[in-house]
Amino acid sequence: MSQTKKQSNLKIIPLGGLHEIGKNTCVLEYNDEIILIDAGIAFPTEEMHGVNIVLPDMTYLRKNRHKIKGMIATHGHEDHIGGIPYHLKQFDIPKIYGPKLAMSLLKDKLEEAGVSDRTKLQTVSPREIVRISPSFLVEFIRNTHSIADSFTIAIHTPLGVVIHTGDFKVDHTPVDGEFFDFQKLAEHGEKGVLCLLSDSTNAEVPGSTPSESSVYPNLDRIIAQAEARLMITTFASSVHRVNIILQLAQKHKRKVAVVGRSMLNVIAHARELGYLKCPDDLFVSLKAANNLPDEQVLILTTGSQGEPLAALTRISRGSHRHIKVRRGDTIVFSANPIPGNTIAVVNTIDRLMMQGAKVIYGRHHGIHVSGHGCQEDHKLMLALTRPKFFVPVHGEHRMLVKHAETAYKMGVPADNIVIINNGDIVEVSEDSIGVAGTVPSGIELVDQAGVVHEHVMEDRQQLAQDGVVTVAAAISWEGKLLTSPEVDLRGVVSKVEYSLIKQLIIRAIENILENRWNDFASSNGKTEVDWDYLQDEIENTLQRLVKRELRSYPLVIFLLQTPEQPSRSEATANRKVYRRRRPTASTAS
């Protein structure tokens, strides 16, 4: 074959989900065609003040938007579809393919975000095959996970079949009776799989992940023993777990009050699609629940991860409008903390216990099982697919390493396994695999107003650490203070008296005006002042003074007001200038 006719390499570019838990996002590219696999979110860390969600950096897709042919949603968890509305505000996606529940949840998200016109949603069924572009033919394979309607995907490319497992576990007794399609995986393994990308979340854990059905008898016992009001929290999207809880509520003759927007939303969609089957009269409003005997009430709520705004967190703080903890309540955490959320969950449990509740939590109760496969599940996936190349995905670094070790033990040569980072460009040919470069792979932070830019986060971090000093000064056209400057310290801890700090700041401003006014002002028939130059000098001086006297680095916000001058236009008169100063190499030295 001549060089000009040589086949192109397939590019696999993860933008999220590696060396972390969450924001799973992957790009497959062949020539000028791109398809996307999932677009998830992650939750903010404690130092991300005011941030609601974390997204992957989508710079690469913004630059290559003309290549995007479609997206695949493997299932409906937030760490796989939560980012889609935000990305659609930046670029169009011709069509998004996915299972019924994921598409139903996504439809609401897109309508709420006002971006439903930026794409088309297409529901697919198990074993359905869709042509997304000339180079990508995608087959959807039923798997088992902690949410109903979850898929592994087989992507047919010009070089061969790439299998992306999505999130999966091997559940031989699934709650909904929808079994993992091992036969289809084995067929692909027999024909030949070029590359396997596989979920690594539980790669450190020996054995197999227990079936979701295994929590039923343990929850049954706890609900039967609860003598008063009962609250249960779990992941809203864990439809199988919710189904078990609703079945047990019926069995033990308890009415269910659902609390939390996401829980209400998922239950509504799951019932509409037939994943939850229960009578309408099982549910009652919170107002009606408060009028029932405690032993007849089960409150199903969000907040299993200690999220600040979730219902159970607000209940634990006593700030929920309709629910207060009562002594004797039994509160069940049917979920384990996601890495990074442990402290928030423990604090929530402590607050609930302090108010007299009996809180049941922890692995030893057997009331939660993971939705992700352990080492034996990974071995089965590898044995069925028999991939030529292997890329562990969806997990922190140690998980990726362990999964790679498992693949090696299962016969994948070491040279055919790559452990990669977000942003790595993995090039796959018929005979080789390797990292051929990188693309931007940072994060984008979102709060209630939208994307939070880097300098805003720096300000928030600075405020949290050292506080803020604000100085407001009115200066005349003659270079005189019209009144004593106002100085305010917020969140600043210092041994220096406030009165002394204020005196030093005022004296610094007066010194600049008295000794250097001619540097800023000139007179050619009328006074002209270089206010920007004056502004910079005062800012730099105050920053150095505050750092020297307080031995810390608070934000310094300087507000400058100048009075109206008859010769100046109204547009530039009586101006206020708001400036902030952060420590820099020059100002903090």
Side-chain angles (χ1 to χ4, degrees):
M1 182 180 290
S2 67
Q3 185 67 28
T4 57
K5 293 183 179 180
K6 184 179 179 180
Q7 257 185 332
S8 301
N9 291 339
L10 173 69
K11 295 179 181 178
I12 301 171
I13 310 171
L15 297 178
L18 295 177
H19 303 275
E20 62 183 351
I21 300 296
K23 66 182 178 71
N24 302 292
T25 306
C26 188
V27 175
L28 266 63
E29 182 173 350
Y30 189 82
N31 289 333
D32 289 331
E33 301 169 34
I34 283 177
I35 64 170
L36 312 178
I37 302 173
D38 292 328
I41 63 171
F43 294 107
T45 57
E46 289 186 357
E47 64 270 15
M48 296 177 182
H49 305 285
V51 171
N52 294 332
I53 64 169
V54 181
L55 299 169
D57 185 337
M58 303 299 276
T59 300
Y60 184 74
L61 290 178
R62 287 195 291 268
K63 290 181 177 179
N64 292 276
R65 66 185 71 195
H66 59 286
K67 297 182 181 180
I68 299 173
K69 305 304 179 185
M71 172 183 279
I72 300 155
T74 58
H75 63 283
H77 276 151
E78 285 293 291
D79 60 336
H80 290 260
I81 66 169
I84 296 175
Y86 301 95
H87 303 326
L88 284 173
K89 294 179 180 180
Q90 305 175 64
F91 49 81
D92 291 349
I93 300 173
K95 191 173 286 188
I96 301 176
Y97 304 83
K100 286 187 295 184
L101 182 56
M103 293 297 98
S104 181
L105 295 170
L106 184 56
K107 182 175 182 290
D108 282 356
K109 290 178 179 293
L110 301 188
E111 290 176 353
E112 184 176 345
V115 293
S116 55
D117 60 337
R118 305 294 297 270
T119 190
K120 293 182 179 179
L121 303 182
Q122 180 169 324
T123 298
V124 292
S125 303
R127 294 200 173 188
E128 186 172 346
I129 301 175
V130 297
R131 168 76 63 185
I132 296 182
S133 73
S135 300
F136 293 109
L137 187 71
V138 179
E139 184 177 2
F140 295 84
I141 302 169
R142 170 75 70 197
N143 70 21
T144 46
H145 185 40
S146 56
I147 188 173
D149 228 1
S150 180
F151 286 144
T152 290
I153 54 174
I155 307 152
H156 300 256
T157 77
L159 299 180
V161 173
V162 175
I163 290 184
H164 192 300
T165 67
D167 287 353
F168 80 97
K169 64 187 280 186
V170 175
D171 193 336
H172 296 291
T173 55
V175 173
D176 59 3
E178 296 286 351
F179 293 93
F180 207 132
D181 193 350
F182 299 122
Q183 179 184 350
K184 183 57 66 174
L185 286 176
E187 287 178 14
H188 284 295
E190 185 68 24
K191 294 175 183 177
V193 172
L194 178 67
C195 185
L196 173 67
L197 287 75
S198 188
D199 172 22
S200 306
T201 305
N202 280 340
E204 301 170 284
V205 184
S208 300
T209 302
S211 169
E212 181 69 27
S213 301
S214 66
V215 305
Y216 185 99
N218 299 316
L219 282 174
D220 188 12
R221 183 182 66 257
I222 289 169
I223 294 173
Q225 293 173 352
E227 296 178 352
R229 196 171 57 164
L230 181 66
M231 297 185 205
I232 301 180
T233 183
T234 189
F235 293 103
S237 56
S238 294
V239 174
H240 302 320
R241 187 75 46 79
V242 171
N243 195 27
I244 289 173
I245 293 167
L246 295 179
Q247 290 176 13
L248 291 171
Q250 286 182 266
K251 176 181 177 181
H252 295 283
K253 296 181 172 50
R254 286 182 181 260
K255 297 294 184 180
V256 178
V258 181
V259 184
R261 182 183 178 190
S262 58
M263 186 71 76
L264 287 162
N265 188 43
V266 171
I267 287 177
H269 285 287
R271 292 189 73 201
E272 182 181 346
L273 296 171
Y275 294 114
L276 295 177
K277 296 180 174 65
C278 54
D280 291 340
D281 63 2
L282 177 65
F283 299 97
V284 295
S285 66
L286 277 177
K287 183 177 180 180
N290 287 331
N291 293 326
L292 290 172
D294 285 354
E295 65 273 12
Q296 295 179 17
V297 175
L298 189 156
I299 297 173
L300 182 57
T301 177
T302 56
S304 66
Q305 298 304 302
E307 308 95 314
L309 300 179
L312 188 60
T313 307
R314 289 185 284 123
I315 292 169
S316 74
R317 296 183 184 277
S319 60
H320 196 282
R321 288 183 298 172
H322 305 295
I323 305 174
K324 304 297 178 186
V325 175
R326 301 172 188 167
R327 187 164 295 278
D329 283 347
T330 297
I331 302 177
V332 181
F333 279 72
S334 186
N336 291 333
I338 293 172
N341 292 348
T342 303
I343 293 176
V345 173
V346 168
N347 288 340
T348 300
I349 292 171
D350 281 347
R351 289 191 296 267
L352 293 168
M353 285 184 168
M354 289 175 187
Q355 297 176 64
K358 176 184 178 182
V359 184
I360 298 175
Y361 64 96
R363 300 177 188 274
H364 60 286
H365 288 288
I367 52 177
H368 175 71
V369 293
S370 176
H372 300 269
C374 296
Q375 290 177 1
E376 295 304 313
D377 302 304
H378 294 165
K379 291 176 183 177
L380 180 57
M381 177 63 71
L382 286 157
L384 289 170
T385 58
R386 293 186 282 173
K388 184 173 186 178
F389 302 114
F390 178 69
V391 182
V393 294
H394 298 183
E396 295 171 346
H397 181 73
R398 64 189 184 279
M399 303 170 187
L400 305 180
V401 171
K402 282 291 185 182
H403 204 171
E405 291 175 359
T406 298
Y408 178 73
K409 292 175 182 177
M410 291 295 295
V412 182
D415 290 343
N416 289 8
I417 301 170
V418 291
I419 296 175
I420 56 176
N421 300 304
N422 290 330
D424 282 350
I425 302 172
V426 179
E427 286 202 356
V428 184
S429 70
E430 291 180 340
D431 303 311
S432 65
I433 186 171
V435 177
T438 61
V439 304
S441 60
I443 58 175
E444 295 178 356
L445 308 177
V446 179
D447 64 9
Q448 297 285 3
V451 175
V452 183
H453 295 289
E454 184 178 357
H455 71 83
V456 175
M457 287 309 302
E458 291 175 359
D459 285 354
R460 291 180 181 178
Q461 185 67 19
Q462 202 68 38
L463 285 167
Q465 290 179 344
D466 296 311
V468 60
V469 177
T470 58
V471 180
I475 299 175
S476 73
W477 290 88
E478 291 76 31
K480 304 294 183 183
L481 286 170
L482 296 175
T483 184
S484 179
E486 296 182 6
V487 180
D488 190 25
L489 279 66
R490 296 292 179 91
V492 177
V493 178
S494 174
K495 295 179 180 179
V496 182
E497 291 289 338
Y498 165 75
S499 58
L500 177 57
I501 288 292
K502 180 177 180 180
Q503 183 181 353
L504 291 172
I505 288 174
I506 294 173
R507 187 182 301 164
I509 297 173
E510 289 174 339
N511 285 339
I512 291 176
L513 297 178
E514 291 173 4
N515 300 321
R516 297 188 56 199
W517 180 247
N518 290 335
D519 294 343
F520 315 112
S522 62
S523 181
N524 295 314
K526 65 177 182 179
T527 300
E528 296 289 343
V529 179
D530 189 341
W531 294 108
D532 289 336
Y533 183 22
L534 175 63
Q535 181 81 34
D536 288 340
E537 288 300 297
I538 293 177
E539 286 174 340
N540 288 331
T541 299
L542 294 184
Q543 183 66 64
R544 289 193 297 268
L545 183 151
V546 167
K547 182 253 182 178
R548 182 181 68 247
E549 297 298 331
L550 298 184
R551 303 291 182 182
S552 62
Y553 300 90
L555 280 177
V556 175
I557 300 177
F558 182 62
L559 294 81
L560 171 63
Q561 183 173 6
T562 61
E564 183 178 356
Q565 186 186 54
S567 61
R568 293 175 62 85
S569 68
E570 185 176 346
T572 59
N574 196 33
R575 80 175 198 159
K576 290 185 179 179
V577 183
Y578 300 87
R579 304 287 289 271
R580 67 174 183 274
R581 299 293 294 177
R582 285 191 295 274
T584 63
S586 59
T587 61
S589 60

